Amino acid sequence: MSPRNLIALAGNPNTGKSTLFNKLTGLKQHTGNWPGKTVLLARGSYTYRGQTYDITDLPGTYSLLASSPEEEVARDFICSGQPQVTVVVVDATALERNLNLVLQITQLTEDVIVCLNLMDEAERQNITLDLNRLQAELGVPVVPTTATTGAGLTTLKETIARMIKRELRPQPKSLELDPKHPAASLYSHAEKITQQVIKSSRPGPDRTERLDKLVTSPHWGVPLMLNLLALILWLTIVGANHPSELLAQIFSWLEDVLTLLFLRLGSPAWLHGALILGMYRGLAWVVAVMLPPMAIFFPLFTLLEDFGYLPRLAFNLDGLFHRAGAHGKQSLTMAMGLGCNAAGVTAARIIDSPRERLVAILTNNLVPCNGRFPMLIVMGTIMAASVANIQGDGFLATLVVLIALIISVLVTLAVSKLLTSTILRGESSFFILELPPYRRPQIGTVLIRSFLDRTLAVLWRALIVAAPCGLLIWILANTTLADSTLLVHLAKWLQPLGRAMGLDGMILLAFLLGLPANEIVIPIIFMGYLSEGALMEVQGLATIEHILVANGWTWLTALNFLIFTLFHWPCATTLLTIRKETGSLRWTLLSAFLPTALGTCLCLIVTAMASLI
Amino acid sequence: MVLADLKPGESGIIQSIKAEDLLLRRLLDLGFVPGTLIQVCFSSRRGDPIAYRVRGTVLALRRSTADKIIIRYLGGSALCPHET
């Protein structure tokens, strides 16, 4: 076996570094929960001319001088001597700022390749660069690329291969830096090089500026945001129905086949019950009901992220977070939380101040994650149906879910304010946010990639969480103690609290059993309602509303369920992540207590008020 | 005069930064070094935060940070055309 070749990928944020990494490694990489963003070190590999190359994607940083954890990780890795080549990805449209990092890295190591990315964008902006001059000034190879189309990647791979084989020996110029003002002298070098390299730059009418006039407008910014969110929700709600029904039909057909098989093999009834009516149905429920909305919402949201919308969101909302004593980037962690709260908690690392970071971590769960979205949608559909007596109206359901989201944002702000004026008091830290140019999203890649990611994630969770849970429910529902089953005993025990909250014992039990993953709460409720006899066969999203109504659900039940879905303890994965990120059991417990207390109180109040009417 | 005093479309040259530690390092890393041309691009609702154009990139700062950046006033120019 030949020794592995190790490459480090460094660069500023928003240079298309992750796109380049994805293009180079294809599917041979470890991805996080939220695709496209580097929070931890991502590793991948590719093969070129029979050789395997391992790439480590370093966190995007503007510099290696300041002491943020990301910058330390990047600097230590480059200095460790492990990578044989460090590729610095540079935004060709913002050469000066990017050269600052390049010059820092060439002072640390000789084996550097500058990957001049976003060349298509530079061309669109009429920026022409003298690449030979740049190469001469830096003393390291410069490879122009457009990662989105793959242009220049072969040259990049070839240059990497030649440098590892020592056919190319870069000799970066050593710089004289003023020890008192290293940053200023780095920039003056970067400025000088940039002036020599840019041959022509006639900024035409700038797309980004025109769009920002609308997107960040004091009047239109927030309405536009709400409309975008509504559009995505509507597409999710309307789009999820048919795939959901179809999946339910397929699962039900497969169940018949499996049942026949069990009968033919003469298996005992309890085995068929445990495996098919328990495990299989648990899995089928989660996939049929939860997968379609998640597989639609997630890719759409990733598109917005890819386009460059999220920094504008943080810009528009910073004023609100500022007044809540929180950090403007908390809105970014909340946006991540819409995908997955565990990812949102991890994303809080982008906030430097420990105090504001803790606020973001403790409140992240107040934003409903993708796993809770289908629950909101079902409740929206029930409320739309019972209040306006309209069946299957996507608009009303969208409105309900949108209002739920707005409430969760307002509650997040209120809880943040509460935290920052009590146990997490302190000076607000600084807020610096780059607003990078809008980029045409990689529609095909993003849709397919995040769709696959989401689908695989749901299937995986269904397998490891929903199937065992289905088995557990089946056992609880089929073990009789005294006069009724364990499941009924437990639900009865929770019934008084459940009733007072406008729910019932079975719903509370479902939330408790759903601790490993919110995705299984609704399936458990269904299994629970039918625990006396046979479990229920899988149904699609649009149909399950009727079943709930048949089991005594009213608009009040749906409303309380909606509230409790928004505000209850985080799922097990998120709790573990909070424990890891805060390193404290106390904060972890508080992060569970806060939303639970809030949700319980709100449900009690709503129910008490409804009984007065 | 400080950066926070500039209105959209106006520009100045950074003279010095009255900040310490991490904030100072961050600003320097992002190109807020003395001698740099800086221009106000647009402001958010209530005028805080404000987006500035520095060295070909757009960066948003809160007023409290912009108060710490001392500048020499240059007047209005056309780097961010739509605001002039």
Side-chain angles (χ1 to χ4, degrees):
Chain A
M1 269 234 354
S2 60
R4 307 283 274 190
N5 304 299
L6 187 59
I7 304 157
L9 205 58
N12 279 192
N14 309 307
T15 51
K17 193 162 71 72
S18 293
T19 312
L20 183 79
F21 179 72
N22 289 338
K23 276 274 164 160
L24 281 175
T25 58
L27 289 169
K28 286 185 206 152
Q29 51 166 283
H30 321 283
T31 45
N33 240 323
W34 192 267
K37 285 283 161 279
T38 320
V39 180
L40 295 161
L41 291 184
R43 289 164 208 274
S45 66
Y46 70 87
T47 313
Y48 179 70
R49 298 201 174 184
Q51 288 269 332
T52 304
Y53 297 84
D54 293 328
I55 310 187
T56 298
D57 189 15
L58 300 174
T61 58
Y62 295 110
S63 154
L64 299 174
L65 295 176
S67 46
S68 77
E70 285 80 16
E71 293 180 20
E72 265 171 44
V73 166
R75 188 178 48 209
D76 290 350
F77 192 78
I78 292 169
C79 291
S80 69
Q82 281 182 47
Q84 287 151 295
V85 172
T86 300
V87 175
V88 191
V89 187
V90 161
D91 176 354
T93 66
L95 196 57
E96 199 172 295
R97 222 271 306 285
N98 282 261
L99 281 182
N100 177 48
L101 180 69
V102 173
L103 293 175
Q104 288 182 25
I105 292 176
T106 54
Q107 302 305 298
L108 293 175
T109 167
E110 288 186 352
D111 302 314
V112 174
I113 296 173
V114 168
C115 169
L116 201 58
N117 196 27
L118 301 170
M119 288 302 283
D120 55 340
E121 200 64 41
E123 203 170 307
R124 212 167 292 140
Q125 292 182 24
N126 297 316
I127 299 173
T128 323
L129 301 168
D130 184 342
L131 299 185
N132 291 329
R133 188 72 195 258
L134 182 61
Q135 201 155 299
E137 288 296 328
L138 293 171
V140 302
V142 173
V143 182
T145 60
T146 302
T148 49
T149 63
L153 291 199
T154 312
T155 318
L156 180 65
K157 288 181 192 172
E158 177 65 28
T159 314
I160 293 170
R162 288 183 58 205
M163 195 175 275
I164 287 178
K165 277 190 259 166
R166 293 267 147 215
E167 290 172 19
L168 262 180
R169 286 172 181 263
Q171 287 173 316
K173 285 190 178 171
S174 65
L175 302 176
E176 283 173 26
L177 295 182
D178 180 350
K180 271 191 207 149
H181 306 286
S185 47
L186 273 170
Y187 262 108
S188 80
H189 281 289
E191 206 177 302
K192 235 176 278 164
I193 296 175
T194 308
Q195 278 164 7
Q196 286 164 341
V197 166
I198 291 191
K199 283 197 289 199
S200 77
S201 166
R202 299 179 282 115
D206 191 336
R207 247 189 340 186
T208 293
E209 273 173 24
R210 268 178 304 169
L211 207 50
D212 263 342
K213 202 174 172 182
L214 177 71
V215 174
T216 64
S217 142
H219 303 293
W220 299 108
V222 173
L224 183 74
M225 175 191 80
L226 291 177
N227 276 297
L228 268 176
L229 192 59
L231 177 69
I232 292 183
L233 289 174
W234 183 75
L235 286 173
T236 306
I237 290 171
V238 172
N241 274 334
H242 289 289
S244 171
E245 298 295 329
L246 188 68
L247 280 172
Q249 279 168 18
I250 294 173
F251 276 117
S252 142
W253 171 81
L254 193 62
E255 187 184 309
D256 293 345
V257 174
L258 287 171
T259 303
L260 261 174
L261 195 71
F262 270 72
L263 281 177
R264 193 154 303 168
L265 293 173
S267 87
W270 65 265
L271 187 66
H272 174 258
L275 291 184
I276 300 298
L277 302 181
M279 289 183 84
Y280 175 84
R281 278 193 182 170
L283 190 140
W285 266 108
V286 167
V287 176
V289 175
M290 310 306 277
L291 176 61
M294 292 166 82
I296 296 174
F297 179 85
F298 200 73
L300 289 176
F301 202 82
T302 313
L303 268 187
L304 264 192
E305 189 196 3
D306 216 40
F307 179 56
Y309 181 72
L310 294 193
R312 274 77 188 175
L313 185 83
F315 180 79
N316 287 340
L317 295 180
D318 178 61
L320 287 173
F321 283 90
H322 197 172
R323 267 178 288 160
H327 200 279
K329 285 185 183 168
Q330 189 173 327
S331 52
L332 296 179
T333 69
M334 289 163 70
M336 296 291 153
L338 282 178
C340 164
N341 289 125
V345 168
T346 313
R349 290 178 185 180
I350 57 174
I351 300 172
D352 289 316
S353 140
R355 186 180 64 87
E356 288 160 356
R357 197 175 136 224
L358 204 49
V359 175
I361 290 177
L362 292 178
T363 56
N364 194 270
N365 187 54
L366 298 171
V367 174
C369 68
N370 228 224
R372 287 185 272 165
F373 257 83
M375 298 158 79
L376 301 181
I377 293 174
V378 173
M379 294 314 117
T381 319
I382 294 179
M383 286 166 75
S386 65
V387 172
N389 206 14
I390 302 169
Q391 300 293 320
D393 187 307
F395 278 107
L396 265 176
T398 306
L399 193 66
V400 173
V401 180
L402 186 65
I403 291 172
L405 274 180
I406 294 173
I407 289 173
S408 93
V409 172
L410 293 177
V411 167
T412 301
L413 286 166
V415 173
S416 301
K417 179 78 190 164
L418 181 77
L419 287 170
T420 56
S421 47
T422 54
I423 48 173
L424 287 172
R425 228 180 320 210
E427 283 288 297
S428 62
S429 73
F430 58 86
F431 167 79
I432 305 176
L433 176 77
E434 181 174 9
L435 300 169
Y438 292 102
R439 306 247 155 84
R440 188 197 309 251
Q442 294 276 107
I443 297 177
T445 322
V446 166
L447 288 185
I448 291 168
R449 202 182 168 84
S450 55
F451 175 79
L452 284 179
D453 269 3
R454 201 64 339 204
T455 308
L456 287 178
V458 173
L459 290 179
W460 176 243
R461 270 166 92 96
L463 204 65
I464 62 162
V465 178
C469 244
L471 181 62
L472 178 70
I473 306 287
W474 186 86
I475 292 171
L476 287 177
N478 285 274
T479 314
T480 313
L481 194 75
D483 52 343
S484 54
T485 66
L486 281 179
L487 196 68
V488 173
H489 279 302
L490 285 169
K492 260 189 192 152
W493 182 69
L494 288 167
Q495 186 72 2
L497 179 61
R499 275 280 160 237
M501 289 169 64
L503 304 166
D504 62 37
M506 191 54 76
I507 300 174
L508 279 189
L509 183 62
F511 271 105
L512 283 172
L513 290 172
L515 177 70
N518 284 297
E519 287 92 322
I520 57 179
V521 172
I522 286 191
I524 292 177
I525 292 175
F526 280 93
M527 293 183 187
Y529 279 155
L530 293 127
S531 64
E532 293 99 20
L535 296 171
M536 171 167 291
E537 243 191 282
V538 181
Q539 312 279 330
L541 260 175
T543 330
I544 61 179
E545 162 208 339
H546 303 295
I547 305 163
L548 289 173
V549 173
N551 271 283
W553 279 47
T554 60
W555 65 270
L556 185 63
T557 327
L559 177 62
N560 283 313
F561 187 88
L562 194 91
I563 293 172
F564 208 63
T565 300
L566 288 178
F567 311 123
H568 71 283
W569 53 86
C571 75
T573 316
T574 307
L575 283 172
L576 287 174
T577 312
I578 294 174
R579 174 84 178 80
K580 205 177 104 216
E581 292 293 313
T582 60
S584 142
L585 188 62
R586 232 185 57 196
W587 291 124
T588 312
L589 290 176
L590 184 66
S591 77
F593 171 76
L594 272 178
T596 309
L598 185 74
T600 311
C601 290
L602 281 176
C603 285
L604 289 173
I605 293 170
V606 166
T607 311
M609 275 170 43
S611 69
L612 292 179
I613 299 169
Chain B
M1 137 177 236
V2 293
L3 186 56
D5 296 335
L6 289 185
K7 293 181 178 52
E10 294 183 336
S11 55
I13 302 271
I14 298 177
Q15 303 282 77
S16 61
I17 299 171
K18 298 269 171 280
E20 288 161 349
D21 301 332
L22 192 58
L23 173 58
L24 178 64
R25 280 201 298 262
R26 271 292 144 81
L27 288 171
L28 292 174
D29 284 340
L30 289 165
F32 290 85
V33 297
T36 305
L37 176 70
I38 186 162
Q39 193 195 19
V40 185
C41 270
F42 47 82
S43 109
S44 63
R45 230 154 35 102
R46 295 165 189 267
D48 191 10
I50 296 175
Y52 300 95
R53 181 172 289 274
V54 188
R55 297 182 186 266
T57 56
V58 178
L59 292 154
L61 303 180
R62 276 186 186 168
R63 191 166 276 278
S64 53
T65 304
D67 271 336
K68 294 176 176 150
I69 301 175
I70 318 291
I71 55 147
R72 182 159 57 81
Y73 182 73
L74 282 186
S77 82
L79 275 175
C80 293
H82 72 257
E83 290 293 350
T84 51

